[in-house]
Amino acid sequence: EVQLVESGGGLVQPGGSLRLSCAASGFTFSSYWMSWVRQAPGKGLEWVANIKPDGSVKKYVEFVEGRFTSSRDNAKNSLSLQMNSLRDEDTAVYFCARYDSGSQYPQHWGRGVLVTVSS
Amino acid sequence: DIQMTQSPSTLSASVGDRVTITCRASQSISSRLAWYQQKPGKAPKILIYKASSLESGVPSRFSGSGSGTEFTLTISSLQPDDFATYYCHQHYSYPLTFGGGTKVEIK
């Protein structure tokens, strides 16, 4: 069974940093594109970042480019999102997701982790 | 960026109703569209991929159609478990984008 478990969320002040992790199990992690998607309180879904199976290609939404960095450790079946220079508007639940075998769409999702940016 | 516009934003319906949700893309996305269902406090769940392919395990009352810029998600006979928010998602080009969501409420 595919399982994705996010961790590392919490309360951080504006301008601060946080590192999210996503522990994957139940599949061959190194074979799949992975994604981060977020959802601000009461709002819709917003794509944040994608990373290729070998980590060689990373894509970001414009408003996190230069502040967020996605990485993966295929030996540890782990995905990470390093978030720097956090802003109030980054407050959201962050989901990690695994793409389908054809690399077309996010198929399996974790439960998400809450990040609150506030002074 | 490709904008995804869903309508309606809220829909009130009764059990047994046929429900249709529309998603329009600001430019052609071929059939690179997925539909998700999300319930409060839960992760999104994939329903439809490639615009019209039903994800394994999803009830057959869900169906998707369309290509290019106009897409629909249809629930043929609404069930109590279907009251939720639905999102379309284009995976044609970066930045990937989602529609604003359609909340299906009990009438």
Side-chain angles (χ1 to χ4, degrees):
Chain A
E1 180 194 0
V2 174
Q3 287 202 0
L4 299 166
V5 180
E6 301 91 341
S7 61
L11 175 63
V12 61
Q13 292 189 336
S17 298
L18 211 56
R19 187 177 183 89
L20 303 184
S21 297
C22 173
S25 61
F27 63 100
T28 304
F29 181 71
S30 60
S31 296
Y32 292 86
W33 278 81
M34 297 294 294
S35 188
W36 289 100
V37 175
R38 71 184 186 183
Q39 187 169 38
K43 302 296 184 183
L45 300 170
E46 185 172 58
W47 172 75
V48 174
N50 273 13
I51 184 167
K52 194 176 178 181
D54 64 3
S56 64
V57 176
K58 303 176 186 183
K59 298 288 189 181
Y60 301 94
V61 70
E62 182 178 3
F63 49 78
V64 307
E65 191 94 51
R67 299 190 298 125
F68 290 12
T69 303
S70 180
S71 61
R72 62 192 298 161
D73 185 336
N74 287 342
K76 294 183 178 179
N77 294 337
S78 179
L79 176 72
S80 296
L81 185 68
Q82 176 67 42
M83 304 186 295
N84 298 331
S85 303
L86 283 162
R87 306 167 181 167
D88 291 351
E89 55 265 35
D90 294 319
T91 294
V93 173
Y94 285 74
F95 298 98
C96 77
R98 193 207 83 176
Y99 267 64
D100 69 300
S101 57
S103 304
Q104 293 291 306
Y105 59 91
Q107 184 181 35
H108 296 277
W109 297 62
R111 291 188 169 187
V113 64
L114 177 63
V115 172
T116 303
V117 184
S118 175
S119 54
Chain B
D1 297 5
I2 298 175
Q3 309 302 318
M4 305 299 293
T5 304
Q6 275 184 247
S7 60
S9 55
T10 306
L11 187 159
S12 295
S14 301
V15 172
D17 284 354
R18 182 182 181 87
V19 165
T20 299
I21 298 168
T22 298
C23 181
R24 288 188 175 87
S26 60
Q27 64 188 75
S28 177
I29 59 170
S30 184
S31 295
R32 300 289 189 93
L33 185 101
W35 288 98
Y36 294 90
Q37 176 194 67
Q38 188 182 33
K39 295 180 180 179
K42 302 291 187 181
K45 173 188 171 185
I46 183 72
L47 300 174
I48 302 287
Y49 63 96
K50 283 192 220 175
S52 60
S53 296
L54 190 68
E55 180 75 8
S56 176
V58 173
S60 59
R61 63 181 180 272
F62 291 94
S63 64
S65 64
S67 67
T69 61
E70 189 142 343
F71 302 86
T72 58
L73 173 70
T74 299
I75 309 173
S76 60
S77 177
L78 199 66
Q79 298 301 301
D81 190 49
D82 301 339
F83 292 97
T85 300
Y86 295 83
Y87 294 94
C88 61
H89 168 59
Q90 68 83 13
H91 50 89
Y92 179 79
S93 69
Y94 289 105
L96 308 180
T97 47
F98 289 85
T102 295
K103 185 175 183 180
V104 178
E105 298 181 327
I106 301 172
K107 193 172 183 179

